[in-house]
Amino acid sequence: MKRIFAILAVIVAFMSVTKADDRPVTYQQLPAAAQAFIAENYPADKISYATKDDDIVLPDYTVVLVSGVRITFNNDGSLEKIESKVDGVPAGLIPVQIREYVRHNYHDVAYVEYEVGRRTYEVKLSNGMELTFNKNFALIGIDD
């Protein structure tokens, strides 16, 4: 039993050492899909900085625009999370089923955060509400 704990301790220590912190990257070092997303949705905005988080399994990328928009992309460049507390997240980035639910239930709100999970979508609204939807766009959680 002690041997198992010792082996686990060595593995955890090794993982801690090999896990690198975020390191800066250029726009050209972002995955092509991430570059296309930025070019399509924020063509006039400039990148303040971009980082790559070298996780043990798959890295992810974070891009912060001069306007204050913060975007996180998965290893393949697909959108993971976008947040903008100043101008809000463009509604066109939110799936239509979620936009319809919000339009019918919450009036005059902006999207300040949108996150795509493996099995869920989450939106945070300017009124402080956080809504969670499943992959079929059925509401499964509300947090205020």
Side-chain angles (χ1 to χ4, degrees), residues 42-88:
Y42 296 95
D45 212 339
K46 294 188 180 194
I47 293 178
S48 176
Y49 66 89
T51 61
K52 179 179 181 181
D53 183 8
D54 283 322
D55 287 336
I56 298 293
V57 181
L58 294 173
D60 60 9
Y61 299 85
T62 299
V63 176
V64 177
L65 304 177
V66 172
S67 63
V69 175
R70 181 182 190 87
I71 310 167
T72 305
F73 297 99
N74 290 322
N75 183 50
D76 63 359
S78 60
L79 179 66
E80 183 176 306
K81 183 177 184 179
I82 182 168
E83 48 189 314
S84 176
K85 295 178 178 30
V86 177
D87 295 327

Side-chain angles (χ1 to χ4, degrees), residues 70-112:
R70 181 182 190 87
I71 310 167
T72 305
F73 297 99
N74 290 322
N75 183 50
D76 63 359
S78 60
L79 179 66
E80 183 176 306
K81 183 177 184 179
I82 182 168
E83 48 189 314
S84 176
K85 295 178 178 30
V86 177
D87 295 327
V89 174
L93 298 177
I94 312 294
V96 68
Q97 298 91 329
I98 294 173
R99 290 194 321 246
E100 287 297 315
Y101 179 87
V102 170
R103 188 175 63 81
H104 286 296
N105 295 285
Y106 303 96
H107 303 287
D108 300 321
V109 295
Y111 300 97
V112 294

